[in-house]
Amino acid sequence: MRLIRQRLIVVLGMHRSGTSTMTRALQAMGVELGSRLMPPVEGVNDKGFWEDLDLNLLNIEVLGALNRDWHYLAPVAENFVELLCGKGFLSRAEELLRRKIGQSPVFGFKDPRVTILLPFWQRVFALCDIDVSYVLALRNPVSVAKSLARREHFEFRKSTLLWLGHVLSMMRCTMGAKRRILVDYDRLVQAPGSELQRVAGRLNLVLDPAELQKYERDFLSIELRHSLHDAQDLSGGDFAMPLVIGLYPLLQSAASDTLDIDAPVLTRQVNDASDEFARHQYYLSQMDVMYQRSQSASRDMSDRDAQISALRRAIEEAQEQTSDAPESASASPTDTCTSGEDIRPGPEAA
């Protein structure tokens, strides 16, 4: 008798691309997300991140071991999986994932960091012997850049390059997967019923009508879509990158099923763009260095401003104490004459 393998649904995508919205929707398809989820942050993700805290902390540690942060532009080193395995992360990730999945028939998780660390996690998935499916979150890079400008104060060019690197990684590393599907964030918010039915059909899951109604009523709102842009908005300013302009319309077509996600034209575009992106690794790494230096300079300026403010407060307090001193001195008697007689000098003294 053949045992039924446990299933894992992994949501991938660039930060601010709707990965949280998509992950929350998995609950309407019977997918377990675990009990240790990251709490909401007002003004950032008011409805929650739907991201496992322990997996998130491990991914942050993994990036730190590679001397990286989530917003680095340069691609990870080709041998990064072996480096992580040598540092003991493979066994730690396997143990953690097994514990998270537990006895769940279908478990799901997301962390945008996994998008650029996917080759490492795919080795973990193989060790766990689970059936893996991928949901690839897509959002217009203009919307992503404007969202990151509000939250992180990133320049549009940096955010657009981040979008490109994450999208290329999730598309390239999931080629050949048994089940994968592209989901456009704007389409999901605008028509959640039809879009989630599409996802459930592709992933061989069952969409619960009651849970869908709860998702639409309690979680979704038009306010989630802070900005709406189309492919034409990519033609101006820092968004006007040939690789992005050539790739994004094809991805949109795959997200609407007018183009197969494994169509040769899309595969070729992803591979060519990935090669071109990798050829600029040196310049991307220099942009990372420049950004880190600017952040360090900003911190130094903030520390200096704090010290100046502290000195000003100390000076003001000292001045207040000095101005109070004469008043206290005049209020206490200093002469020893108590008879009240006239002690003005006489003529001889004059």
Side-chain angles (χ1 to χ4, degrees):
M1 180 178 177
R2 184 179 178 183
L3 296 177
I4 299 177
R5 296 171 68 195
Q6 289 178 293
R7 294 191 59 190
L8 177 67
I9 313 297
V10 182
V11 179
L12 303 173
M14 172 59 191
H15 301 257
R16 315 308 295 167
S17 289
T19 55
S20 301
T21 305
M22 186 62 241
T23 305
R24 168 61 183 85
L26 293 177
Q27 287 187 324
M29 306 174 203
V31 178
E32 296 286 339
L33 301 179
S35 58
R36 272 183 52 80
L37 297 177
M38 191 179 298
V41 175
E42 186 177 356
V44 180
N45 268 26
D46 298 313
K47 299 296 184 70
F49 292 86
W50 303 95
E51 191 167 316
D52 186 272
L53 282 168
D54 299 315
L55 290 168
N56 171 261
L57 290 173
L58 180 61
N59 284 318
I60 292 174
E61 188 178 347
V62 165
L63 286 175
L66 298 173
N67 296 317
R68 294 181 61 90
D69 207 336
W70 68 268
H71 55 76
Y72 278 27
L73 297 173
V76 292
E78 292 183 358
N79 64 335
F80 85 95
V81 177
E82 284 68 28
L83 290 173
L84 294 175
C85 292
K87 293 177 180 290
F89 282 104
L90 186 63
S91 58
R92 289 179 57 189
E94 179 190 0
E95 189 277 332
L96 178 60
L97 187 59
R98 287 186 184 275
R99 178 157 50 87
K100 292 295 177 181
I101 295 175
Q103 300 301 316
S104 302
V106 188
F107 184 80
F109 81 94
K110 73 95 174 174
D111 182 349
R113 295 166 183 81
V114 174
T115 307
I116 57 176
L117 296 171
L118 191 54
F120 166 75
W121 278 102
Q122 285 175 328
R123 190 166 306 184
V124 178
F125 302 155
L127 289 174
C128 293
D129 190 28
I130 47 182
D131 184 2
V132 184
S133 302
Y134 298 100
V135 178
L136 311 179
L138 176 69
R139 192 182 186 189
N140 190 298
V142 179
S143 299
V144 171
K146 290 187 175 182
S147 180
L148 285 173
R150 288 190 297 267
R151 193 186 78 171
E152 305 289 345
H153 307 293
F154 286 170
E155 295 179 352
F156 286 169
R157 178 166 291 273
K158 175 181 174 69
S159 297
T160 307
L161 288 169
L162 274 173
W163 178 93
L164 181 61
H166 281 70
V167 167
L168 290 175
S169 180
M170 75 180 187
M171 291 297 297
R172 188 183 68 256
C173 294
T174 59
M175 285 181 181
K178 181 180 178 181
R179 297 186 187 94
R180 66 171 181 163
I181 184 171
L182 265 168
V183 180
D184 182 81
Y185 176 72
D186 293 320
R187 290 172 61 91
L188 175 60
V189 174
Q190 191 170 22
S194 59
E195 198 63 21
L196 293 184
Q197 189 61 60
R198 169 179 170 266
V199 173
R202 184 71 59 85
L203 300 184
N204 195 25
L205 297 171
V206 178
L207 182 62
D208 186 327
E211 287 297 319
L212 171 61
Q213 187 178 24
K214 180 180 178 181
Y215 173 71
E216 292 178 317
R217 182 186 69 243
D218 300 339
F219 182 83
L220 282 185
S221 64
I222 198 64
E223 287 77 18
L224 284 175
R225 191 171 61 186
H226 300 291
S227 57
L228 180 62
H229 300 278
D230 55 30
Q232 295 180 350
D233 294 323
L234 296 175
S235 60
D238 291 330
F239 309 111
M241 299 181 187
L243 293 180
V244 175
I245 293 174
L247 179 63
Y248 179 64
L250 293 176
L251 294 173
Q252 275 192 311
S253 297
S256 62
D257 287 338
T258 57
L259 178 70
D260 191 275
I261 192 172
D262 296 312
V265 62
L266 178 55
T267 300
R268 184 169 55 253
Q269 185 73 22
V270 168
N271 289 333
D272 291 347
S274 298
D275 292 341
E276 182 67 18
F277 194 76
R279 278 195 289 270
H280 291 82
Q281 181 164 357
Y282 172 77
Y283 301 102
L284 295 172
S285 64
Q286 291 303 302
M287 291 178 68
D288 290 332
V289 170
M290 292 173 63
Y291 179 79
Q292 295 306 312
R293 288 177 178 174
S294 67
Q295 290 297 99
S296 178
S298 297
R299 286 191 295 268
D300 291 342
M301 291 178 64
S302 297
D303 293 342
R304 183 202 63 187
D305 292 342
Q307 292 174 359
I308 291 174
S309 297
L311 287 172
R312 284 176 176 169
R313 287 194 299 270
I315 292 172
E316 290 172 357
E317 291 174 0
Q319 289 175 340
E320 290 176 0
Q321 293 175 0
T322 303
S323 63
D324 290 342
E327 297 177 6
S328 60
S330 62
S332 59
T334 56
D335 59 72
T336 58
C337 179
T338 58
S339 62
E341 61 182 86
D342 190 355
I343 60 173
R344 286 176 293 177
E348 295 85 358

